[in-house]
Amino acid sequence: MAGGRRQAPPREDVLAAAMEMIAERGLEKLTMAALGREVGMSSGHLLYYFGSKDELLLRTLEWSEGRLGAERGRLLTRTAPALERLDAYVDLYVPDGHRDPHWTLWLEVWNRSQNADAEARERQAAIEGAWHRDLVALLAEGISRGEFRRVDPDRFAARLRALLDGFSIHVAIGLRGTDRAQILRHVREFLADGLLADA
């Protein structure tokens, strides 16, 4: 109806706009008012939908992780040696570079999680758990096929992800001397020593 109240954009459009703003302008420029202007909504309307900036950030992360999860699923289920798929997993995990928007968002959510409620922490754990389960399954497959040495897949996955998180933070914050290519070399050496060496 002409002159009627404007429809709010679908929630996914709001989350996509938030992610795009983080990518283009940085997290510090992502305010409810700025996002509202971007999607044609008032900051009050956004607060009605999300309740708080913390919730907006967590939902944006969940949305972004859903897309990454689909990509990870495609990479890990293709027909290829386990090591090749493990390389693809690592490549997807490590940030593209300084201020990678996905990792910028992750770091902020992690920082805010110190004061998060139990439900928000569970949602973060669910995101982490999906990465972990996929890695454990891939390692177990590689072991069963004789491509990897016999390690405990769950323990190895926990250590590998801790290594990836540490290095990824260095890349995302732009720590001098830790560019992406250098990090990937370190990780490949770790994998060669831990998975590919003779038992």
Side-chain angles (χ1 to χ4, degrees), residues 8 24 27 32 85 123 136 142 154 163 182 186 190 196:
E24 290 178 0
L27 191 61
M32 289 300 207
R85 287 178 286 143
R123 288 161 62 195
V136 170
D154 188 65
L163 182 76
Q182 193 175 32
H186 278 302
F190 174 80
L196 306 181

Side-chain angles (χ1 to χ4, degrees), residues 42-179:
S42 70
S43 55
H45 203 159
L46 284 173
L47 278 170
Y48 172 77
Y49 272 116
F50 297 104
S52 67
K53 186 172 181 183
D54 285 0
E55 179 63 17
L56 169 67
L57 293 174
L58 183 51
R59 289 225 190 150
T60 304
L61 180 63
E62 288 171 329
W63 173 80
S64 176
E65 280 287 343
R67 295 163 61 95
L68 271 180
E71 187 176 349
R72 190 172 67 241
R74 283 191 300 274
L75 289 169
L76 298 184
T77 55
R78 63 198 166 105
T79 304
L83 182 60
E84 188 178 314
R85 287 178 286 143
L86 183 55
D87 276 342
Y89 176 101
V90 169
D91 193 57
L92 188 63
Y93 201 111
V94 175
D96 289 335
H98 180 218
R99 296 179 69 94
D100 176 286
H102 183 78
W103 268 91
T104 298
L105 181 56
W106 245 130
L107 292 172
E108 183 66 15
V109 169
W110 272 340
N111 186 49
R112 290 170 181 253
S113 71
Q114 297 175 78
N115 301 314
D117 61 24
E119 191 254 345
R121 285 174 179 270
E122 283 298 317
R123 288 161 62 195
Q124 290 174 28
I127 295 170
E128 298 271 4
W131 281 94
H132 187 75
R133 284 188 303 275
D134 285 350
L135 180 55
V136 170
L138 179 58
L139 292 170
E141 181 189 338
I143 292 163
S144 71
R145 292 183 172 185
E147 294 181 50
F148 299 151
R149 57 185 290 204
R150 301 197 71 76
V151 297
D152 179 320
D154 188 65
R155 285 176 48 118
F156 193 90
R159 282 179 279 168
L160 175 56
R161 288 189 53 248
L163 182 76
L164 290 172
D165 283 344
F167 277 143
S168 293
I169 290 167
H170 291 181
V171 173
I173 67 172
L175 195 65
R176 189 176 301 180
T178 53
D179 64 31

